[in-house]
């Protein structure tokens, strides 16, 4: 049977947990050959690789020197890049340090930009690049200055890359998840806060990683060929 992504090669950053893990599962189910990165969750990455046949590569996005190793398994050609890995920081501006700035901006913005740069020459015409931002660029909360800034910068990179790579039929889009039930979400929110978020959401619940992975898979697939430079909010109607 020919699936939507049969014959395609995808690279997903941060595939060991959360939204990235769900994305690996979904892209494999859709027929893609998948390479994914992880930083610390080696056991989870090994289990996912064994379950799916995907290839796991260890990488810390704080260190750009890891880029060549990340792209080594796709040096023969790439069709889909999902810049998913990211970290959150909940800290008021009065307490942010220069080291915090460098860490969040490097992991959430600098590495994805240079991953996109490394992907471009390997990517076949008609490829797909999907950068994961956040609803927090539109609804920033106290303590979220660096996180929101890092994601907002990535959104701008997305728009420019859409123009630069468009002549090759490569689309570049942002997916901005709303509150999605992962370790990251629970690390920066109280259970009561998450109940309030769910109650304010049109669909009356938190998102699941699979909800977001389905949107990413759509943008990775053939039916999204006429969408580029856009930011798709995948948040169940938190924003309407
Ligand atoms: P998560 O559950 O914390 O998973 C993060 C993933 O990124 C893990 O696979 C982790 O690898 C990897 N990672 C973290 N730091 C890394 C680093 N320095 N280098 C390489 N990989 C690293 O997060 P998530 O909730 O799935 O979030 C995924 C993306 O969605 C992020 O960009 C996040 O900002 C965005 N997002 C999430 C939500 C939400 O509600 N969950 C909402 C909006 C946007 P290890 O586990 O191996 O360390």
């Amino acid at each position: 049977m020919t699936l939507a992504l049969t014959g395609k090669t995808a690279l997903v950053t941060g595939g060991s947990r959360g939204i990235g893990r769900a994305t690996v599962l979904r892209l494999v189910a859709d027929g893609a050959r998948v390479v994914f990165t992880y930083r610390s969750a080696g056991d989870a990455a090994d289990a996912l690789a064994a379950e799916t046949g995907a290839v796991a590569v260890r990488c810390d996005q704080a260190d750009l020197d890891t880029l060549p190793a990340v792209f080594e398994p796709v040096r023969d050609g790439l069709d889909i890049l999902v810049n998913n890995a990211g970290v959150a920081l909940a800290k008021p501006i009065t307490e942010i340090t220069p080291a915090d700035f460098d860490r969040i901006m490097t992991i959430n913005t600098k590495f994805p930009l240079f991953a996109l740069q490394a992907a471009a020459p390997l990517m076949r015409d008609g490829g797909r690049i999907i950068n994961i931002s956040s609803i927090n660029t539109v609804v920033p909360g106290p303590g979220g200055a660096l996180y929101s800034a890092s994601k907002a910068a990535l959104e701008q990179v997305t728009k420019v890359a859409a123009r630069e790579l468009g002549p090759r039929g490569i689309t570049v889009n942002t997916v901005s998840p709303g509150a999605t039930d992962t370790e990251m979400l629970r690390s920066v929110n109280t259970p009561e806060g998450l109940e309030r978020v769910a109650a304010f959401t049109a669909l009356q619940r938190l998102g699941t990683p699979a909800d977001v992975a389905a949107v990413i898979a759509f943008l990775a697939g053939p039916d999204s060929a006429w969408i580029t430079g856009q930011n798709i909010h995948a948040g169940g109607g938190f924003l309407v």
Side-chain angles (χ1 to χ4, degrees):
M1 185 172 62
T2 302
L3 300 165
L5 299 180
T6 296
K8 304 293 185 188
T9 297
L11 174 60
V12 179
T13 65
S16 45
R17 291 186 286 119
I19 292 167
R21 180 177 187 279
T23 301
V24 172
L25 288 167
R26 177 60 192 259
L27 298 186
V28 168
D30 286 354
R33 169 185 171 250
V34 178
V35 176
F36 69 92
T37 67
Y38 67 98
R39 179 192 52 178
S40 53
D43 289 348
D46 288 346
L48 183 61
E51 178 185 346
T52 61
V55 174
V57 181
R58 188 172 182 286
C59 150
D60 184 346
Q61 292 199 180
D63 177 7
L64 263 66
D65 289 343
T66 57
L67 268 168
V70 169
F71 282 86
E72 173 61 24
V74 299
R75 69 181 185 284
D76 291 338
L78 180 65
D79 301 286
I80 299 156
L81 170 67
V82 184
N83 261 322
N84 163 76
V87 286
L89 177 73
K91 215 179 212 190
I93 292 169
T94 49
E95 296 176 16
I96 289 171
T97 66
D100 290 330
F101 183 96
D102 291 344
R103 178 170 162 271
I104 297 298
M105 290 295 179
T106 300
I107 294 171
N108 289 359
T109 314
K110 189 176 183 181
F111 188 99
L113 184 151
F114 285 99
L116 192 157
Q117 183 190 71
L122 300 174
M123 193 162 269
R124 288 179 271 265
D125 289 0
R128 302 278 188 269
I129 297 173
I130 298 136
N131 294 325
I132 307 304
S133 179
S134 169
I135 203 163
N136 289 129
T137 62
V138 183
V139 190
L146 274 184
Y147 179 73
S148 296
S150 70
K151 294 296 191 178
L154 187 58
E155 290 176 13
Q156 299 310 311
V157 170
T158 302
K159 294 179 187 181
V160 175
R163 292 213 183 270
E164 292 183 356
L165 298 175
R168 293 173 50 199
I170 296 171
T171 67
V172 191
N173 290 292
T174 296
V175 171
S176 289
T180 309
D181 203 350
T182 67
E183 289 175 43
M184 176 190 284
L185 184 77
R186 296 212 172 256
S187 73
V188 289
N189 291 279
T190 62
E192 299 72 33
L194 292 178
E195 277 176 25
R196 286 194 295 276
V197 169
F200 187 74
T201 300
L203 295 177
Q204 293 285 292
R205 64 174 175 84
L206 299 178
T208 66
D211 287 328
V212 180
V215 178
I216 294 169
F218 167 68
L219 289 173
D223 289 343
S224 66
W226 197 232
I227 299 173
T228 194
Q230 303 305 303
N231 183 351
I232 310 294
H233 286 126
F238 183 83
L239 278 181
V240 291

